[in-house]
Amino acid sequence: MSKPFTGIKVLDFTRVLAGPYSSYQLALLGADVIKVESLEGDDMRFGSRANDWEKRGLAAPWVAVNAGKRSITLDLKKPKAIEIVKRLAATSDVVVENFRPGVMDKLGIGYETLKAINPKLIYCAVSGFGQVGPDAKTAAFDGMIQAMSGLMSITGFENNGPTRVGFAGADVMSGATAALGIASALFQRTHTGKGQLVDVAMIDAVMGYLAQQFTEHLMTGRVHGQAANLSVTRKPTGNLFKTKDGWIVLAVMTDPQFQRLMKVLGREDAVADPRFVDWPTRIQNNTALHEIVEAAMKTETSATWAERFAKNDIPAGRVLSIPETAQLDLFKHRTVLQTVETEHGPIKVVGSGFRLEHGGGSVERPPAKLGQHTDEVLKEAGYSSAEIESIRADKVA
């Protein structure tokens, strides 16, 4: 079955995480993503834990955002390599890169150059602060953008100071934003026939995910602080609570839910308590209400409460570890976890975060060894065997 991006060729110069995450989303949906690596390979390939997968150049963090792509190697400092890129770009639909602005221009393969070769080309550049502005040439990394975007200022506990989220959030948000930008440009091309530049600034991307916090500040002047584990609504029953053997997050946001919660906890008396008669009073008496709820929840295990809450339509979720989440039965009915066969045995990877009725996301190729598809891609571009041999001999690829 055809996928959304079947027939779309992507020339991928991205490295590390933000850029590769974007092109991986396209690969899952059928695009032929040709990952251009240096002769030494993407830094993420070999990791830092020295396990068997890393020794093979297939470190799990690299595989997570590069499975399904084809790999070619090119030494972009050599003129012959630049000629190859130009030939490949002539028949590509998308170029993606996450170098510091100006690097691709210095190499001779920037947007204006490739656009002249292929006017229908979508050129996506992912950088910390975008292609224009006073900070355009400043290198950026995930933690730096988490700090500067406001994300860290609303994460964690006040007594511990600003806190990073527990994954490379700025990178992933930027990658997802880039994938949406590319998809938008491809769709627009069906109307205009024209390619264009997709300029993704990581700081813009993260702000896009903080739309509520920024809009509220800009409209009302309110400054959001660190929320700890409290819901952004600040409702006391949207919080983390300790149980007999673990933790549960409640998402009790309506009066009927609140009444059902108190009944299940055996504290129906709290519903009539003047301190908790409505949300304003509950918020005002947050600490007292939290203590009442948690005292009850500490008497039973997380599994017991989860079962009771589910039966009574009370929104709640147990705090699970990554291994526990991966083993949930629900994933037997979903497609987000996918098994990929490799020459070293099967591995599981994470696919698209959504399902399509027709032609949804899936990994169609095992993760590529460094340069595995160089000869194949060069032949497709019209190079003869003799020319490829010469390219190899000159260490261009």
Side-chain angles (χ1 to χ4, degrees), residues 42 84 89 181 203-204 234 289 297 318 341 382 390:
D42 188 328
I84 292 170
I203 197 163
D204 292 357
R234 297 302 189 267
L289 181 55
M297 291 184 65
R318 295 170 57 195
E341 296 295 335
S390 173

Side-chain angles (χ1 to χ4, degrees), residues 9-70:
K9 184 158 74 174
V10 179
L11 203 53
D12 179 10
F13 294 92
T14 64
R15 303 167 299 161
V16 191
L17 181 53
Y21 185 90
S22 68
S23 52
Y24 178 59
Q25 304 309 307
L26 304 179
L28 288 168
L29 295 168
D32 176 15
V33 178
I34 300 170
K35 185 174 178 69
V36 181
E37 302 185 65
S38 69
L39 273 60
E40 295 76 29
D42 188 328
D43 292 342
M44 294 278 283
R45 268 191 179 274
F46 300 95
S48 57
R49 293 175 178 82
N51 59 41
D52 288 342
W53 289 105
E54 295 187 353
K55 292 174 184 176
R56 298 169 184 141
L58 296 173
W62 183 89
V63 170
V65 291
N66 287 290
K69 303 177 185 179
R70 295 197 284 173

Side-chain angles (χ1 to χ4, degrees), residues 61-227:
W62 183 89
V63 170
V65 291
N66 287 290
K69 303 177 185 179
R70 295 197 284 173
S71 171
I72 68 171
T73 54
L74 288 175
D75 183 350
L76 297 177
K77 295 177 183 176
K78 295 185 176 179
K80 271 191 179 180
I82 300 306
E83 291 174 15
I84 292 170
V85 170
K86 290 178 178 178
R87 188 184 293 196
L88 293 174
T91 58
S92 294
D93 297 281
V94 179
V95 162
V96 194
E97 54 99 346
N98 64 340
F99 292 107
R100 195 182 305 198
V103 170
M104 290 287 275
D105 291 319
K106 288 180 181 178
L107 291 171
I109 47 176
Y111 172 60
E112 294 298 335
T113 299
L114 298 185
K115 175 185 176 182
I117 295 170
N118 180 359
K120 292 186 175 182
L121 185 69
I122 308 298
Y123 186 107
C124 179
V126 182
S127 63
F129 304 97
Q131 301 298 302
V132 296
D135 298 317
K137 297 296 178 72
T138 302
F141 300 89
D142 175 81
M144 179 178 173
I145 299 299
Q146 285 200 38
M148 295 181 67
S149 65
L151 178 59
M152 287 178 63
S153 75
I154 60 172
T155 306
F157 295 79
E158 288 184 2
N159 58 340
N160 291 334
T163 306
R164 289 171 70 156
V165 298
F167 68 110
D171 277 337
V172 172
M173 293 176 201
S174 301
T177 299
L180 175 59
I182 292 167
S184 300
L186 284 168
F187 183 72
Q188 190 173 34
R189 192 177 70 176
T190 66
H191 303 299
T192 66
K194 297 178 181 179
Q196 62 180 299
L197 174 66
V198 179
D199 177 4
V200 179
M202 293 174 68
I203 197 163
D204 292 357
V206 176
M207 285 179 69
Y209 280 83
L210 301 181
Q212 288 184 311
Q213 289 78 10
F214 274 97
T215 302
E216 186 170 11
H217 169 65
L218 295 170
M219 286 180 64
T220 70
R222 179 188 171 192
V223 178
H224 286 252
Q226 289 167 278

